Coordinates of all heavy atoms in Angstrom, one line a residue:
M196 N 9.6 5.9 -3.6 CA 8.3 5.2 -3.1 C 8.6 3.9 -2.3 O 8.2 3.7 -1.2 CB 7.4 4.8 -4.3 CG 6.0 4.3 -3.9 SD 5.0 5.6 -3.1 CE 3.4 4.7 -3.0
Y197 N 9.6 3.0 -2.8 CA 9.9 1.9 -2.2 C 10.7 2.2 -0.8 O 10.2 1.6 0.1 CB 11.0 1.1 -3.2 CG 11.5 -0.1 -2.6 CD1 10.7 -1.2 -2.2 CD2 12.9 -0.2 -2.2 CE1 11.3 -2.3 -1.5 CE2 13.5 -1.3 -1.6 CZ 12.7 -2.4 -1.3 OH 13.2 -3.5 -0.7
K198 N 11.5 3.0 -0.8 CA 12.3 3.4 0.5 C 11.4 4.0 1.5 O 11.5 3.8 2.7 CB 13.5 4.2 0.2 CG 14.5 3.5 -0.6 CD 15.7 4.4 -0.8 CE 16.9 3.7 -1.5 NZ 18.1 4.4 -1.6
S199 N 10.2 4.8 1.1 CA 9.4 5.3 2.0 C 8.5 4.2 2.8 O 7.9 4.6 3.8 CB 8.4 6.2 1.2 OG 7.4 5.4 0.5
L200 N 8.6 2.9 2.4 CA 8.0 1.9 3.1 C 8.5 1.8 4.6 O 7.7 1.4 5.5 CB 8.2 0.6 2.5 CG 7.2 0.1 1.3 CD1 7.8 -1.2 0.7 CD2 5.8 -0.2 1.9
Q201 N 9.7 2.3 4.9 CA 10.2 2.1 6.2 C 9.6 3.0 7.1 O 9.6 2.8 8.4 CB 11.8 2.4 6.1 CG 12.1 3.7 5.6 CD 13.7 3.8 5.5 OE1 14.4 3.2 6.2 NE2 14.2 4.3 4.3
Q202 N 9.0 4.1 6.6 CA 8.2 5.1 7.5 C 6.8 4.7 7.7 O 6.1 5.2 8.5 CB 8.2 6.5 6.8 CG 9.5 7.3 7.1 CD 10.6 7.0 6.0 OE1 10.1 7.1 4.9 NE2 11.8 6.8 6.3
L203 N 6.3 3.6 6.9 CA 4.9 3.3 6.9 C 4.5 2.9 8.3 O 3.3 3.3 8.7 CB 4.6 2.3 5.8 CG 3.2 2.0 5.7 CD1 2.3 3.3 5.3 CD2 3.0 1.0 4.4
P204 N 5.2 2.0 9.0 CA 4.6 1.6 10.3 C 4.3 2.8 11.3 O 3.3 2.8 12.0 CB 5.8 0.6 10.8 CG 6.4 0.2 9.6 CD 6.4 1.3 8.6
D205 N 5.2 3.8 11.2 CA 4.9 5.0 12.2 C 3.9 5.7 11.7 O 3.0 6.3 12.6 CB 6.3 5.8 12.1 CG 7.4 5.2 12.8 OD1 7.3 4.3 13.8 OD2 8.5 5.4 12.6
L206 N 3.6 5.8 10.4 CA 2.5 6.7 9.8 C 1.2 5.9 10.2 O 0.2 6.7 10.7 CB 2.6 6.8 8.4 CG 3.7 7.8 7.9 CD1 3.8 7.6 6.3 CD2 3.4 9.2 8.2
V207 N 1.2 4.7 10.1 CA -0.2 4.0 10.3 C -0.4 3.9 11.8 O -1.6 3.8 12.3 CB -0.3 2.6 9.6 CG1 -0.2 2.9 8.1 CG2 0.6 1.7 10.1
D208 N 0.6 3.8 12.6 CA 0.5 3.8 14.1 C -0.3 4.9 14.6 O -1.2 4.8 15.4 CB 1.8 3.7 14.8 CG 1.8 3.7 16.3 OD1 1.1 2.7 16.8 OD2 2.4 4.6 16.9
E209 N -0.1 6.1 14.0 CA -0.8 7.4 14.4 C -2.3 7.1 14.2 O -3.2 7.5 14.9 CB -0.2 8.5 13.7 CG -0.9 10.0 14.1 CD -0.4 11.1 13.3 OE1 0.8 10.9 12.7 OE2 -1.0 12.1 13.3
H210 N -2.6 6.7 13.0 CA -3.9 6.5 12.6 C -4.6 5.4 13.3 O -6.0 5.5 13.6 CB -4.0 6.3 11.0 CG -3.5 7.5 10.2 ND1 -4.0 8.8 10.5 CD2 -2.5 7.6 9.3 CE1 -3.5 9.5 9.7 NE2 -2.5 9.0 8.9
Y211 N -4.0 4.3 13.6 CA -4.6 3.3 14.4 C -4.9 3.9 15.8 O -6.0 3.6 16.4 CB -3.5 2.1 14.6 CG -3.8 1.0 13.6 CD1 -2.9 0.7 12.7 CD2 -4.9 0.3 13.4 CE1 -3.0 -0.4 11.8 CE2 -5.2 -0.6 12.5 CZ -4.1 -1.1 11.7 OH -4.2 -2.1 10.8
N212 N -4.0 4.6 16.3 CA -4.3 5.2 17.7 C -5.4 6.2 17.7 O -6.1 6.4 18.7 CB -2.9 5.9 18.1 CG -1.9 5.0 18.5 OD1 -2.1 3.8 18.9 ND2 -0.6 5.4 18.6
E213 N -5.7 6.8 16.6 CA -6.8 7.7 16.5 C -8.0 7.2 15.9 O -9.0 7.9 15.7 CB -6.4 9.0 15.6 CG -5.3 9.9 16.3 CD -5.7 10.5 17.6 OE1 -6.9 10.9 17.7 OE2 -4.9 10.5 18.5
Y214 N -7.9 5.9 15.8 CA -9.2 5.1 15.2 C -9.5 5.5 13.8 O -10.6 5.3 13.4 CB -10.4 5.4 16.2 CG -10.2 4.3 17.4 CD1 -9.2 4.5 18.2 CD2 -11.3 3.4 17.6 CE1 -9.1 3.7 19.3 CE2 -11.1 2.6 18.7 CZ -9.9 2.8 19.7 OH -9.9 1.9 20.8
N215 N -8.6 6.1 13.1 CA -8.8 6.5 11.7 C -8.4 5.3 10.8 O -7.4 5.4 10.1 CB -8.0 7.8 11.3 CG -8.5 8.9 12.0 OD1 -9.8 9.1 12.3 ND2 -7.7 9.8 12.4
I216 N -9.1 4.3 10.9 CA -8.7 3.0 10.2 C -8.8 3.2 8.7 O -8.0 2.7 7.9 CB -9.5 1.8 10.6 CG1 -9.6 1.7 12.0 CG2 -8.8 0.6 10.0 CD1 -8.2 1.6 12.8
Y217 N -9.6 4.1 8.2 CA -9.7 4.3 6.8 C -8.5 4.8 6.2 O -8.1 4.6 5.0 CB -11.0 5.2 6.4 CG -10.6 6.7 6.7 CD1 -10.5 7.5 5.6 CD2 -10.7 7.3 8.0 CE1 -10.2 8.9 5.8 CE2 -10.5 8.6 8.2 CZ -10.2 9.4 7.1 OH -10.1 10.7 7.2
K218 N -7.7 5.7 7.0 CA -6.5 6.3 6.7 C -5.4 5.2 6.5 O -4.4 5.2 5.7 CB -6.0 7.5 7.4 CG -6.8 8.7 7.3 CD -6.1 9.8 8.0 CE -6.8 11.1 7.5 NZ -6.5 11.6 6.3
V219 N -5.4 4.2 7.5 CA -4.5 3.0 7.3 C -4.7 2.4 5.9 O -3.8 2.1 5.2 CB -4.7 2.1 8.5 CG1 -3.9 0.9 8.3 CG2 -4.5 2.7 9.7
I220 N -6.0 2.2 5.6 CA -6.4 1.5 4.3 C -6.0 2.4 3.2 O -5.5 1.8 2.2 CB -7.8 1.1 4.4 CG1 -8.2 0.1 5.4 CG2 -8.3 0.7 2.9 CD1 -9.6 -0.3 5.5
E221 N -6.1 3.6 3.2 CA -5.6 4.4 2.2 C -4.2 4.3 1.9 O -3.8 4.3 0.7 CB -6.0 6.0 2.5 CG -7.4 6.4 2.3 CD -7.7 7.8 2.7 OE1 -6.7 8.5 3.0 OE2 -8.8 8.1 2.5
Y222 N -3.3 4.3 3.0 CA -1.8 4.2 2.9 C -1.6 2.8 2.2 O -0.7 2.8 1.3 CB -1.3 4.4 4.1 CG -0.9 5.8 4.5 CD1 -1.5 6.4 5.5 CD2 0.1 6.5 3.9 CE1 -1.2 7.8 5.9 CE2 0.5 7.6 4.1 CZ -0.2 8.4 5.1 OH 0.1 9.6 5.4
V223 N -2.2 1.8 2.7 CA -1.8 0.5 2.2 C -2.2 0.3 0.7 O -1.5 -0.1 -0.1 CB -2.7 -0.6 3.1 CG1 -2.6 -2.0 2.4 CG2 -2.0 -0.7 4.4
M224 N -3.4 0.7 0.3 CA -3.7 0.6 -1.0 C -3.1 1.5 -2.0 O -3.0 1.2 -3.2 CB -5.3 0.9 -1.2 CG -6.3 -0.1 -0.5 SD -5.8 -1.8 -0.7 CE -6.0 -2.1 -2.5
M225 N -2.6 2.7 -1.4 CA -1.7 3.5 -2.2 C -0.4 2.6 -2.8 O 0.1 2.7 -3.8 CB -1.2 4.6 -1.5 CG -0.2 5.6 -2.2 SD 0.4 7.0 -1.3 CE 1.3 6.2 0.0
Y226 N 0.2 1.9 -1.8 CA 1.4 1.1 -2.0 C 1.0 -0.1 -2.9 O 1.8 -0.4 -3.8 CB 2.1 0.7 -0.8 CG 2.8 1.7 -0.1 CD1 2.4 2.5 0.9 CD2 4.2 1.9 -0.5 CE1 3.1 3.5 1.5 CE2 5.0 2.9 0.1 CZ 4.4 3.6 1.1 OH 5.3 4.8 1.7
I227 N 0.0 -0.7 -2.6 CA -0.5 -1.9 -3.5 C -0.8 -1.4 -4.8 O -0.4 -2.2 -5.9 CB -1.8 -2.5 -2.9 CG1 -1.5 -3.1 -1.5 CG2 -2.3 -3.6 -3.7 CD1 -0.3 -4.0 -1.3
K228 N -1.4 -0.3 -5.0 CA -1.6 0.2 -6.4 C -0.3 0.6 -7.1 O -0.2 0.2 -8.4 CB -2.6 1.5 -6.4 CG -3.0 2.1 -7.7 CD -3.7 3.2 -7.6 CE -4.2 3.9 -8.9 NZ -5.0 5.1 -8.7
W229 N 0.6 1.1 -6.4 CA 1.9 1.4 -7.0 C 2.6 0.1 -7.3 O 3.2 0.1 -8.5 CB 2.7 2.2 -6.0 CG 4.2 2.3 -6.3 CD1 4.8 3.0 -7.2 CD2 5.2 1.5 -5.7 NE1 6.1 2.7 -7.3 CE2 6.3 1.9 -6.2 CE3 5.3 0.6 -4.5 CZ2 7.7 1.4 -5.8 CZ3 6.5 0.0 -4.2 CH2 7.7 0.4 -4.8
A230 N 2.6 -0.9 -6.5 CA 3.2 -2.1 -6.8 C 2.7 -2.9 -8.0 O 3.3 -3.5 -8.9 CB 3.2 -3.2 -5.7
N231 N 1.3 -2.7 -8.3 CA 0.6 -3.3 -9.4 C 1.1 -2.6 -10.6 O 1.3 -3.1 -11.7 CB -0.9 -3.2 -9.3 CG -1.5 -4.4 -8.6 OD1 -1.4 -5.6 -9.1 ND2 -2.1 -4.3 -7.5
K232 N 1.3 -1.2 -10.4 CA 1.7 -0.4 -11.6 C 3.2 -0.8 -12.0 O 3.6 -0.8 -13.3 CB 1.7 1.0 -11.2 CG 2.0 2.0 -12.5 CD 1.8 3.4 -12.2 CE 2.0 4.4 -13.3 NZ 3.4 4.3 -13.9
L233 N 4.0 -1.1 -11.1 CA 5.5 -1.6 -11.3 C 5.3 -2.8 -12.1 O 6.1 -2.9 -13.1 CB 6.1 -1.9 -9.9 CG 6.8 -0.9 -9.3 CD1 7.5 -1.4 -8.0 CD2 7.9 -0.2 -10.2
I234 N 4.4 -3.8 -11.8 CA 4.3 -5.1 -12.6 C 3.8 -4.6 -14.2 O 4.4 -5.1 -15.1 CB 3.3 -6.0 -12.0 CG1 3.8 -6.5 -10.6 CG2 3.0 -7.1 -12.9 CD1 4.9 -7.5 -10.7
A235 N 2.9 -3.8 -14.1 CA 2.3 -3.5 -15.5 C 3.3 -2.8 -16.3 O 3.3 -3.0 -17.6 CB 1.0 -2.6 -15.3
D236 N 4.2 -1.8 -15.8 CA 5.1 -1.0 -16.5 C 6.2 -1.8 -16.9 O 6.8 -1.7 -18.0 CB 5.5 0.2 -15.7 CG 4.4 1.3 -15.5 OD1 3.5 1.1 -16.1 OD2 4.6 2.1 -14.6
N237 N 6.8 -2.8 -16.1 CA 8.0 -3.5 -16.4 C 7.7 -4.8 -17.0 O 8.8 -5.4 -17.3 CB 8.7 -3.6 -15.1 CG 9.3 -2.2 -14.6 OD1 10.2 -1.7 -15.1 ND2 8.7 -1.7 -13.4
K238 N 6.5 -5.3 -17.1 CA 6.1 -6.5 -17.7 C 7.1 -7.7 -17.5 O 7.9 -8.1 -18.3 CB 6.2 -6.2 -19.4 CG 5.3 -5.2 -19.8 CD 5.4 -4.9 -21.3 CE 4.4 -3.8 -21.8 NZ 4.5 -2.6 -21.1
P239 N 7.0 -8.2 -16.3 CA 7.9 -9.4 -15.9 C 7.8 -10.5 -16.9 O 8.6 -11.3 -17.0 CB 7.5 -9.7 -14.5 CG 6.1 -9.1 -14.4 CD 6.0 -7.9 -15.2
W240 N 6.6 -10.7 -17.4 CA 6.5 -11.8 -18.4 C 7.4 -11.7 -19.5 O 7.6 -12.7 -20.3 CB 5.0 -12.0 -18.8 CG 4.4 -10.7 -19.3 CD1 4.3 -10.2 -20.6 CD2 3.8 -9.7 -18.5 NE1 3.7 -8.9 -20.7 CE2 3.3 -8.6 -19.5 CE3 3.5 -9.6 -17.1 CZ2 2.6 -7.5 -18.9 CZ3 2.7 -8.5 -16.7 CH2 2.3 -7.5 -17.6
Q241 N 7.7 -10.4 -20.0 CA 8.7 -10.2 -21.0 C 10.2 -10.3 -20.4 O 11.1 -10.9 -21.1 CB 8.5 -8.9 -21.5 CG 7.2 -8.5 -22.3 CD 7.1 -9.4 -23.5 OE1 8.1 -9.7 -24.2 NE2 5.9 -9.5 -24.0

């Protein structure tokens, strides 16, 4: 998941060009949700 970030600009470029902004948001929030889960699972406060 982390390494797939490098393909994200190309993926969202296609959706920006097609005016599918909701898909850009879907991709972004998928990564934000995953990163929040990383925090919850690994408990940095511990």
Side-chain angles (χ1 to χ4, degrees):
M196 187 71 172
Y197 173 66
K198 291 185 175 180
S199 71
L200 273 171
Q201 62 189 315
Q202 282 88 44
L203 188 55
D205 290 334
L206 286 173
V207 300
D208 181 56
E209 178 182 347
H210 295 307
Y211 269 119
N212 289 334
E213 292 299 322
Y214 283 60
N215 292 326
I216 313 303
Y217 80 103
K218 282 191 171 292
V219 175
I220 292 174
E221 282 182 359
Y222 272 110
V223 167
M224 294 315 299
M225 175 182 71
Y226 281 97
I227 299 303
K228 183 178 179 180
W229 165 73
N231 270 302
K232 187 174 185 297
L233 274 183
I234 294 286
D236 289 349
N237 291 288
K238 300 179 176 60
W240 52 90
Q241 297 291 341

